[in-house]
Amino acid sequence: MRLIFFFLLVMGCQSGAFSQSKTEQLLKSLELQRFEAMTKKDTAFLQKVLADDLTYNHSNGLFENKKEHIQNIKTGKLIYQSMDSEELSIRLFKKTAVMNGLVKVTGVLKDKTFNIRLRYTDVYVKKRGQWQLVAWHSVKVE
């Protein structure tokens, strides 16, 4: 009986890992890599993962296109010290993915430190075989 219980327990734990498709797993990994790239000022990675027609709406109302977003990170105008994902869900629509998440962000903007939690929606589109972020919109969570 214990062996059956153990088998069912193991299978139940594994089913959560397999419930995400390979594409969803890839997108989740890409999103977390993007967060890391923003904290490390990895503009080469950001150049690849951000679409040329990116719209990036920050929770404070700041709007950036791809060039502005990368430039602000590169020059230190906007410093991301940490971006810790707390929640992330993905909905796939053929070559479009809509992500909803919650992320804790610390950093510096205009010489002022910030430590905020953001609820966000972002959209990735598969272009020429590669997933790219085309839109980000976030709001502060109290």
Side-chain angles (χ1 to χ4, degrees):
M1 188 65 166
R2 280 191 207 179
L3 185 57
I4 293 172
F5 176 76
F6 178 76
F7 176 77
L8 291 173
L9 179 65
V10 169
M11 292 307 290
C13 291
Q14 289 182 347
S15 67
F18 292 113
S19 64
Q20 281 191 329
S21 72
K22 286 184 181 181
T23 302
E24 289 171 316
Q25 290 173 12
L26 171 74
L27 285 162
K28 180 178 181 178
S29 175
L30 189 60
E31 181 79 334
L32 296 176
Q33 288 175 55
R34 182 176 69 82
F35 288 167
E36 184 177 353
M38 291 169 66
T39 63
K40 292 185 175 181
K41 295 184 180 183
D42 184 351
T43 56
F45 180 84
L46 294 173
Q47 280 289 347
K48 288 188 269 182
V49 76
L50 303 179
D52 289 341
D53 58 347
L54 173 72
T55 59
Y56 206 96
N57 294 284
H58 292 267
S59 63
N60 64 357
L62 175 65
F63 171 82
E64 297 168 321
N65 60 31
K66 177 181 179 174
K67 183 179 177 184
E68 293 165 333
H69 187 58
I70 291 174
Q71 187 66 18
N72 286 339
I73 291 171
K74 183 178 181 177
T75 62
K77 180 178 178 182
L78 177 55
I79 300 169
Y80 291 98
Q81 296 169 325
S82 67
M83 296 185 74
D84 300 316
S85 179
E86 296 180 5
E87 292 176 19
L88 180 59
S89 66
I90 302 168
R91 292 175 288 149
L92 289 172
F93 306 95
K94 296 185 182 184
K95 292 186 175 191
T96 303
V98 178
M99 296 188 195
N100 298 100
L102 182 64
V103 64
K104 184 175 181 201
V105 183
T106 61
V108 181
L109 175 63
K110 297 181 182 175
D111 297 324
K112 290 186 179 182
T113 61
F114 60 88
N115 182 353
I116 55 177
R117 291 175 72 221
L118 301 173
R119 174 105 19 222
Y120 69 89
T121 299
D122 62 10
V123 179
Y124 281 81
V125 173
K126 195 169 191 180
K127 297 181 177 189
R128 293 182 238 57
Q130 180 178 339
W131 288 98
Q132 291 187 311
L133 181 69
V134 296
W136 165 277
H137 187 88
S138 62
V139 294
K140 291 179 190 172
V141 177
E142 298 298 323

